Amino acid sequence: MINQIVQMASTTEENYLKALFNLANEKGEVNISELAHQLEVSMPTANSMVKTLQKSGSCIYEKYKPVVLTPKGKKEAALIVRKHRLTEMFLVTKMGFGWEEVHEIAEQVEHIHASKFFERMDEMMGYPTVDPHGSPIPDKQGRIQDLQFKSLSEAKPGQEVILAALSDSSTEFLEYLNSRKLTLGTELKIISKEAFDQSIVVNYLDSEKETLSQKVCEKLLVKIYESKNSSQ
Amino acid sequence: MINQIVQMASTTEENYLKALFNLANEKGEVNISELAHQLEVSMPTANSMVKTLQKSGSCIYEKYKPVVLTPKGKKEAALIVRKHRLTEMFLVTKMGFGWEEVHEIAEQVEHIHASKFFERMDEMMGYPTVDPHGSPIPDKQGRIQDLQFKSLSEAKPGQEVILAALSDSSTEFLEYLNSRKLTLGTELKIISKEAFDQSIVVNYLDSEKETLSQKVCEKLLVKIYESKNSSQ
DNA sequence: TAAATTTGTTAGAATAATCTAACATTATAC
DNA sequence: GTATAATGTTAGATTATTCTAACAAATTTA
Ligand SMILES: [Mn+2]
Ligand SMILES: [Mn+2]
Ligand SMILES: [Mn+2]
Ligand SMILES: [Mn+2]
């Protein structure tokens, strides 16, 4: 038989693939319990869907072992992430949304099956490589670049850095950053670091001075821009 | 109990509501068989979904009688049509798509639940009142204007008309119109009408001359612009 | 290592959306 | 006005997605 119909992944399956992809990138392995937690479903539900994804060749799964995406599954997931991030960027740069408003909309738009739509977005934006939160946009083949920024919590007093990405893009964190006028591209100079609680005092936008807790610093990914009194 | 959760219509239910709305606007009444045909499902499937929609208060249905949308159902449907038509207009005016490419994309985008998204489109376009095919865009309350254009097949030789809308927006028909350079807003002068087959010879764009079959004329909705040798 | 906790699985059930086959009602044609 | 055709309904089944309850395996703690 030649014309066996290959069924498209449903919206539900796509959300599972994306969750597996994102969890694997953060933590390496993916347990059923993490997956279930991420998607806010029960463990039996996640367990059952993983079996379904295995049948369609998107992941490999053995009882009591962590779930592993196949190359096919990885590519499927990366292309959904691509649509998600292109959408977020389009909403911010072409439609005037704030970076804290776009994730929920993109969570729905990413499931639209219309490559022309996303290609046109891409073209209109001049082929951006990162989304509004600094995360890389996979290419059309599903390849994703590893930007490996450092966390601000690793920076030392005297260093100058540029805020390049976030490891948490929750609305609450984005609103916190808005309230401090912290946007991607902001140059930060590390004034001092408190040994007791690892909080950092930074100087940015030529005038402001701000104390950032360790919790916040861990979520801010930076490029080291210039260094004073540094061992390098 | 105060906090009874009112379940949102699923994508499937939304497509049924829209089909009921569109069929009712074209033909007045809606039979199960028409509904089933429109949605490409079996009659038992349509029958069963109509019962579901009745339970949720969106339509009224009695065995063997035509289906009637309630005011609630009409409003729900009109708001989906609104999202569909705003999307089509956005794709054409802001993203450079052709009018023959947008329906399929809008068929998916219309199910996105994010009023901000559609309000922003609306705002960016300056609150358009019609879609790229000349169909009216319902307002935020779900009210829809009746533009009642005439069909070109009703026009008489000597009259000048403006192409204002289409009663068929299929890709095939739109591609036919593209090939003849017929766009909305085009002024057409009716040169003559063939009594035998009701075909019409028209003149437009200052130079072109074209014969349009009755089948085509019926699908072209026009505003009568000026009249020569007319009884009015 | 034994107990306790966490993690994972199976079984069984529910709801949504769909189908086919069989039967029933209504409308149309002769 | 009966026969035929069209339309509509019911029953019963299937697949997808989800749940809870009960049990099993693996890991952590003491
Ligand atoms: Mn996002
Ligand atoms: Mn999603
Ligand atoms: Mn359309
Ligand atoms: Mn649709």
Side-chain angles (χ1 to χ4, degrees), chain A residues 11 14-15 18 80 84 106-108 110-111:
Chain A
T11 295
E14 289 190 341
N15 282 332
K18 195 159 61 92
I80 301 160
H84 182 105
E107 202 56 54
Q108 297 177 65
E110 69 189 357
H111 303 293

Side-chain angles (χ1 to χ4, degrees), chain B residues 106-120:
Chain B
E107 201 56 52
Q108 297 177 65
V109 175
E110 69 189 359
H111 303 293
I112 287 172
H113 293 280
S115 24
K116 273 191 297 189
F117 182 47
F118 297 99
E119 275 168 32
R120 190 71 194 97

Side-chain angles (χ1 to χ4, degrees), chain A residues 18 84-85 88 99 102-104 106-107 110 131-133 135 169:
Chain A
K18 195 159 61 92
H84 182 105
R85 293 184 180 163
E88 287 188 342
W99 66 350
V102 298
H103 178 79
E104 268 193 286
E107 202 56 54
E110 69 189 357
D131 81 5
H133 315 107
S135 302
S169 301

Side-chain angles (χ1 to χ4, degrees), chain B:
Chain B
M1 228 175 292
I2 292 171
N3 241 328
Q4 49 178 323
I5 296 155
V6 177
Q7 203 40 70
M8 249 184 339
S10 68
T11 295
T12 307
E13 287 173 310
E14 290 191 340
N15 282 332
Y16 277 86
L17 284 170
K18 197 158 63 87
L20 285 168
F21 184 79
N22 288 332
L23 288 170
N25 288 345
E26 283 164 28
K27 312 190 182 181
E29 292 192 332
V30 187
N31 307 327
I32 296 290
S33 84
E34 285 164 350
L35 181 62
H37 181 254
Q38 173 85 15
L39 291 162
E40 300 182 88
V41 295
S42 68
M43 284 204 290
T45 300
N47 182 276
S48 145
M49 181 54 87
V50 161
K51 287 174 180 169
T52 303
L53 291 174
Q54 167 151 67
K55 273 181 208 139
S56 72
S58 298
C59 75
I60 291 165
Y61 179 60
E62 284 175 88
K63 264 192 185 183
Y64 300 107
K65 296 262 170 68
V67 190
V68 183
L69 284 176
T70 59
K72 174 178 181 282
K74 254 179 217 158
K75 183 171 179 181
E76 291 172 305
L79 292 178
I80 301 160
V81 170
R82 174 177 164 79
K83 291 194 281 180
H84 182 104
R85 294 184 178 163
L86 280 174
T87 300
E88 287 189 343
M89 200 62 180
F90 186 85
L91 292 171
V92 168
T93 65
K94 297 291 170 185
M95 294 186 76
F97 283 96
W99 66 349
E100 77 287 358
E101 300 179 288
V102 297
H103 179 79
E104 268 193 286
I105 302 176
E107 201 56 52
Q108 297 177 65
V109 175
E110 69 189 359
H111 303 293
I112 287 172
H113 293 280
S115 24
K116 273 191 297 189
F117 182 47
F118 297 99
E119 275 168 32
R120 190 71 194 97
M121 278 189 195
D122 199 17
E123 195 184 331
M124 285 174 74
M125 295 189 287
Y127 312 101
T129 60
V130 295
D131 81 4
H133 316 108
S135 302
I137 298 174
D139 70 17
K140 278 187 219 172
Q141 280 68 51
R143 288 177 302 224
I144 191 165
Q145 59 192 327
D146 185 6
L147 292 167
Q148 41 193 35
F149 298 122
K150 293 237 164 90
S151 159
L152 180 56
S153 55
E154 291 173 45
K156 295 177 187 67
Q159 284 188 320
E160 289 185 9
V161 303
I162 292 182
L163 182 53
L166 309 174
S167 59
D168 171 9
S169 301
S170 65
T171 308
E172 305 76 53
F173 186 51
L174 294 170
E175 282 173 347
Y176 165 84
L177 297 178
N178 284 347
S179 73
R180 305 293 152 114
K181 299 207 190 341
L182 278 167
T183 58
L184 294 194
T186 303
E187 293 180 36
L188 303 166
K189 187 174 176 179
I190 291 96
I191 306 297
S192 63
K193 182 162 184 176
E194 175 57 60
F196 174 64
D197 65 358
Q198 317 295 310
S199 68
I200 283 178
V201 176
V202 293
N203 184 222
Y204 60 95
L205 291 180
D206 298 333
S207 58
E208 318 272 346
K209 195 166 279 191
E210 201 69 62
T211 303
L212 303 173
S213 70
Q214 190 195 16
K215 202 162 179 177
V216 166
C217 290
E218 276 171 358
K219 295 163 189 282
L220 297 175
L221 304 180
V222 300
K223 258 193 303 231
I224 309 267
Y225 173 66
E226 197 181 302
S227 206
K228 274 185 207 164
N229 310 331
S230 159
S231 53
Q232 300 189 40

Side-chain angles (χ1 to χ4, degrees), chain A residues 12-36 38-39 46 49-54 58-61 65-70 73-74 76-78 81:
Chain A
T12 306
E13 287 172 310
E14 289 190 341
N15 282 332
Y16 278 87
L17 283 170
K18 195 159 61 92
L20 285 168
F21 183 80
N22 288 332
L23 288 170
N25 288 345
E26 283 163 29
K27 311 189 182 179
E29 293 193 330
V30 187
N31 306 328
I32 297 290
S33 84
E34 284 164 350
L35 181 61
Q38 172 86 15
L39 290 163
M49 180 56 87
V50 161
K51 287 175 181 168
T52 303
L53 291 174
Q54 167 149 69
S58 299
C59 75
I60 291 164
Y61 178 60
K65 296 261 171 66
V67 190
V68 183
L69 283 176
T70 59
K74 253 180 216 157
E76 291 173 307
V81 170

